[in-house]
Amino acid sequence: MHSFPKALFVSHGGGPLPLLGDPGHAEMVSCLKDIAADIPRPDTILVISAHWEESVPTVTAASHPSLIYDYYGFPPESYAIEYACPGAPSFAREVHAALEAAGIGARIDPTRGLDHGVFVPLKIMYPTADIPCVQLSLAASLDPDVHIAMGRALSVLSRSGLLIIGSGFSFHNLRAFFERGGRGHSPENVAFEAWLANVLTDDALSEAERQRALVAWSQAPGARYCHPREEHLLPLHVCYGVAQSACTKRHEVVVMNKKSSFCVW
């Protein structure tokens, strides 16, 4: 077992499919289980999910958060999934205070539940649902600089055993997933993953260079094909802001026939 990570970025797959035995998610499920087995068990989890945007970063503070089934057209069992993890209201206040102290306006939501960007990966990684969990929204501006700054603000949190997870998807072109016949690993997908791997793992890059590259991500090869809208990439920017370094381990996993990244810092 390795040391406790500063942050973890996961590609969380398509809706509830990873929990329904979908073969296109088998590698993703295996990767999440391996990561959970490879790191110390956390005491508290903070998840930044691609599926929640607010005008200012907002933190959940429910003691017993409900689940938000924010997907459509799936089998009935998709809407009966349970993940009754406790919340952590006092920790939510710590997150809020850290953002405010860094000059980032923030808000606490005492009633919002956890969306599938939270409960899908956590149900795979920690199925007993006994670790307190808090969710943090994206900022609706979708500004990469803002999300790196959010991560930098979170890096001061001193709670031991805290696991910060950015839950998004390094490839998120929904039309491409369901193209007739499937394009498999399209040139754009391959090119963007290669660029991302280089930016995240190259120790020769200074942190100023790495940050500039992530801020200018839309200029990377294949970027806008892979991300017509950037909300699924930005949890990675928050993770980078937490760590401010190259990732220590990157996994390339095929999800729904597309290359995708999982990164540990």
Side-chain angles (χ1 to χ4, degrees):
M1 185 174 288
H2 292 85
S3 60
F4 207 86
K6 295 178 181 176
L8 167 65
F9 173 78
V10 304
S11 291
H12 63 229
L17 289 174
L19 302 179
L20 301 179
D22 176 64
H25 289 80
E27 286 190 27
M28 173 212 152
V29 170
S30 179
C31 185
L32 285 176
K33 289 181 176 178
D34 288 347
I35 291 171
D38 198 44
I39 64 175
R41 179 179 167 85
D43 297 322
T44 311
I45 299 173
L46 172 63
V47 183
I48 301 92
S49 167
H51 291 280
W52 186 23
E53 299 171 26
E54 293 284 352
S55 57
V56 297
T58 304
V59 193
T60 61
S63 297
H64 302 283
S66 60
L67 300 188
I68 302 171
Y69 304 110
D70 53 339
Y71 39 71
Y72 307 94
F74 290 96
E77 59 266 31
S78 306
Y79 305 93
I81 292 168
E82 296 183 358
Y83 195 75
C85 67
S90 64
F91 175 61
R93 291 190 288 273
E94 291 176 33
V95 173
H96 177 266
L99 292 166
E100 291 275 349
I104 299 170
R107 191 169 66 85
I108 290 176
D109 188 328
T111 61
R112 190 185 192 275
L114 307 175
D115 62 52
H116 80 272
V118 180
F119 68 77
V120 168
L122 291 190
K123 194 171 178 69
I124 296 166
M125 297 177 74
Y126 304 108
T128 52
D130 54 356
I131 302 173
C133 182
V134 166
Q135 181 175 352
L136 173 63
S137 79
L138 299 177
S141 67
L142 302 183
D143 183 330
D145 269 316
V146 168
H147 289 82
I148 291 173
M150 287 167 57
R152 193 177 296 114
L154 299 175
S155 71
V156 307
L157 294 170
S158 59
R159 178 173 291 224
S160 63
L162 170 63
L163 178 60
I164 297 176
I165 301 177
S167 179
F169 212 149
S170 65
F171 180 94
H172 197 254
N173 180 330
L174 293 180
R175 181 173 294 179
F177 280 125
F178 301 107
E179 285 175 337
R180 186 175 297 277
R183 291 182 62 191
H185 307 330
S186 61
E188 300 95 332
N189 177 205
V190 172
F192 185 72
E193 284 296 321
W195 173 85
L196 192 61
N198 180 68
V199 170
L200 294 176
T201 64
D202 187 354
D203 289 326
L205 291 176
S206 69
E207 293 317 309
E209 291 170 326
R210 201 182 320 277
Q211 179 166 330
R212 282 196 296 271
L214 288 171
V215 169
W217 71 271
S218 63
Q219 298 173 29
R224 279 299 180 189
Y225 175 82
C226 296
H227 292 280
R229 192 173 185 273
E230 53 265 50
E231 81 287 344
H232 273 70
L233 187 64
L234 290 174
L236 183 146
H237 289 70
V238 180
C239 290
Y240 172 72
V242 172
Q244 300 170 60
S245 67
C247 65
T248 56
K249 184 179 291 187
R250 174 182 171 270
H251 306 267
E252 186 171 277
V253 176
V254 176
V255 182
M256 297 174 68
N257 211 27
K258 303 297 180 185
K259 290 179 179 287
S260 60
S261 291
F262 290 65
C263 303
V264 183
W265 278 269

